[in-house]
Amino acid sequence: MSEAIKRGVDNALKRYVDYLSNNVELVTAVESWMKTLSYLVAGRISKSHSTVIAELMYSSSSLFTLFNDYMLRKRHGLHTLQGAGARRLKIALSCLEAVEVFIEIAARRYADPNIKWILIFCVELLKTIGRFVLQLKYKSGLRYFPLINRLNRKAIHMDGVEERTDDSQSSNNQSYYTLPHSGRQIKSVNTGVASAPVSVGKTVLDKGQMVGEALHNLQPLIHLGTEACFGAESWKPWIASIITDFASLGILKQSHYRYSKNENSEMVRRKFILWMYLLRSPCYDRVTKQRLLRLLSVFQSIPGLRFIAGSIVAYLPEWQKTYFYTWNS
C-alpha cells in the first residue's frame, strides 16, 4: 500500500515538473498573482482575521516559489556544486524565513503575548544555529540575503542553461555553463587570461572575518536577550543591537581580502539596513515617528503622492507591531 502511494506521489510530482518546465511563464504569473492577492485581501474581509489570512497567502506564495525554483534547478541540473548538506540547510532556513512573519502574526492574534515572544525567540535561535553551521561547517563565507537567489527562469525557458559561478573555483574567477541533460560543465568563453580579474565567488573567511560574521549572526539573539532583561521601552536593547551591527561591519571592512562582487553587494545592503534603526523602537516612538508623520502629511497634500503616502501612514502601526518586519536583518 505504501509503495503504491509512493509511486502515485512520484508520478504526480513528475507530471507537475513536466508541466512546470513547459509553462514557466504561466507558473511565474500565478506566483505573482498570489502575492498581489495577499495585499488585496488585507482589510477586505473580517478585520480580526484579514492580516493573518493575507500573510498566510504571502508565505504560501514564497514557499511555492522556492519549491518551483528547486524543482526547475533539479530538472535542468542547475544545482550549484556546493554540498547537498549545505543546500538542504539553506532550503530549510529559506522556508523558515518565508513563514516567520505568518508565525508571529498568527501567534499575536490567537495566542498569549508570551507565546508570541517564545516563538520569535525559537525562530531566531533556529536561524542562528543554521547560520553558524553554514559558516563553521560548510565554510559558506558571508551570508547573503536571500540565502537562495531567485532562479533566472527566462534563461532556462529560452536556452535550457543558466550561467553560474562555481564557488570552489572562485579563486580562478572561472564561470561555467551546466548542460541540462548531461550535467557536464563547460567554461564560459568570456573567461580568459585577458579578462579583468573580477572576483565573483566567495571569500574564505579569516579569523577576524569569522568574528565579524559571528556578531552579525548573533545580533538578533543579543537584541532579544537584552530586551527580555530591560524591556521593550528601554534604549539598552536598541543600543546593544546597533553596536553589534557596527562592530560586525567594522571588523569585516578591516579585512585585507578583496571581496567578490556579490559580497560587496551584501556589505552595502548591511550598511543600508543600519538606517532601519530609525524605524525601530524606542528610537521610532521617541525620535522618528512625529517627524516622519509630518513629512508624510506633506506628501499627502501632493495629488500624485497622496495615495502612496496615505497607505504608508495607514500601514505603519501594523508594521511597527511586527518584530520580523522591523528587526529582520
Side-chain angles (χ1 to χ4, degrees):
M1 186 68 175
S2 60
E3 287 295 325
I5 294 175
K6 184 178 183 299
R7 284 196 301 271
V9 171
D10 289 342
N11 290 334
L13 188 60
K14 184 179 183 301
R15 286 195 298 269
Y16 174 74
V17 174
D18 290 338
Y19 178 84
L20 174 62
S21 297
N22 295 323
N23 299 274
V24 171
E25 293 181 354
L26 176 61
V27 174
T28 302
V30 171
E31 295 168 355
S32 298
W33 275 107
M34 288 176 66
K35 281 188 168 61
T36 302
L37 190 59
S38 70
Y39 295 119
L40 297 177
V41 164
R44 298 298 195 278
I45 55 180
S46 173
K47 289 185 177 180
S48 59
H49 304 290
S50 64
T51 304
V52 177
I53 294 174
E55 194 56 47
L56 174 61
M57 295 174 64
Y58 190 89
S59 298
S60 300
S61 172
S62 298
L63 291 174
F64 187 46
T65 300
L66 281 171
F67 174 76
N68 289 334
D69 279 355
Y70 174 81
M71 298 310 298
L72 285 171
R73 283 189 172 101
K74 187 176 180 180
R75 172 65 176 268
H76 294 278
L78 296 175
H79 283 306
T80 64
L81 296 184
Q82 194 173 33
R87 185 168 63 245
R88 285 194 294 267
L89 181 54
K90 284 187 175 184
I91 291 172
L93 289 173
S94 297
C95 290
L96 185 59
E97 290 172 350
V99 301
E100 61 187 7
V101 176
F102 168 72
I103 292 172
E104 178 185 352
I105 291 177
R108 188 177 70 209
R109 174 65 184 83
Y110 301 114
D112 183 85
N114 292 330
I115 299 297
K116 182 195 82 168
W117 285 108
I118 290 173
L119 288 174
I120 289 174
F121 178 80
C122 289
V123 169
E124 290 291 11
L125 180 62
L126 287 173
K127 287 163 59 178
T128 301
I129 292 172
R131 290 164 180 173
F132 271 110
V133 172
L134 285 174
Q135 178 182 340
L136 300 177
K137 181 177 180 179
Y138 295 110
K139 311 299 181 185
S140 60
L142 287 184
R143 171 171 59 87
Y144 301 153
F145 182 85
L147 276 174
I148 301 177
N149 289 326
R150 286 293 305 273
L151 183 64
N152 185 356
R153 296 180 182 180
K154 289 184 179 180
I156 293 177
H157 184 58
M158 295 174 62
D159 305 320
V161 295
E162 181 183 70
E163 186 176 9
R164 56 156 176 117
T165 300
D166 176 1
D167 285 343
S168 66
Q169 301 292 334
S170 62
S171 61
N172 295 326
N173 303 312
Q174 295 177 341
S175 297
Y176 292 84
Y177 287 108
T178 299
L179 298 180
H181 299 296
S182 66
R184 183 182 177 187
Q185 296 170 30
I186 301 176
K187 189 187 298 185
S188 169
V189 296
N190 294 324
T191 302
V193 293
S195 302
V198 179
S199 177
V200 292
K202 65 180 181 181
T203 299
V204 178
L205 303 182
D206 60 23
K207 290 183 179 180
Q209 290 171 308
M210 293 281 279
V211 171
E213 190 67 4
L215 285 174
H216 181 67
N217 292 335
L218 286 171
Q219 178 270 325
L221 295 184
I222 290 173
H223 171 256
L224 287 173
T226 51
E227 187 171 294
C229 293
F230 301 106
E233 300 300 319
S234 172
W235 279 95
K236 292 178 182 177
W238 188 92
I239 293 172
S241 182
I242 197 171
I243 287 175
T244 302
D245 276 339
F246 268 110
S248 172
L249 279 172
I251 293 172
L252 290 171
K253 284 171 61 179
Q254 288 178 0
S255 169
H256 297 295
Y257 289 93
R258 182 183 178 187
Y259 287 114
S260 70
K261 180 180 178 181
N262 289 338
E263 288 169 336
N264 281 324
S265 297
E266 173 61 21
M267 294 287 283
V268 170
R269 187 193 71 84
R270 294 184 188 184
K271 292 174 186 177
F272 179 78
I273 288 293
L274 293 175
W275 289 99
M276 284 290 296
Y277 278 94
L278 295 175
L279 299 177
R280 293 170 174 172
S281 295
C283 182
Y284 174 77
D285 295 324
R286 302 180 187 179
V287 179
T288 313
K289 182 177 180 179
Q290 294 304 320
R291 292 173 174 82
L292 179 60
L293 291 177
R294 282 198 296 268
L295 178 62
L296 290 173
S297 67
V298 173
F299 289 148
Q300 282 181 292
S301 63
I302 303 173
L305 300 176
R306 183 176 299 142
F307 176 77
I308 298 175
S311 299
I312 294 174
V313 171
Y315 191 69
L316 267 175
E318 179 66 30
W319 190 80
Q320 276 290 317
K321 287 190 296 184
T322 307
Y323 172 86
F324 285 117
Y325 283 156
T326 53
W327 284 95
N328 218 347
S329 61

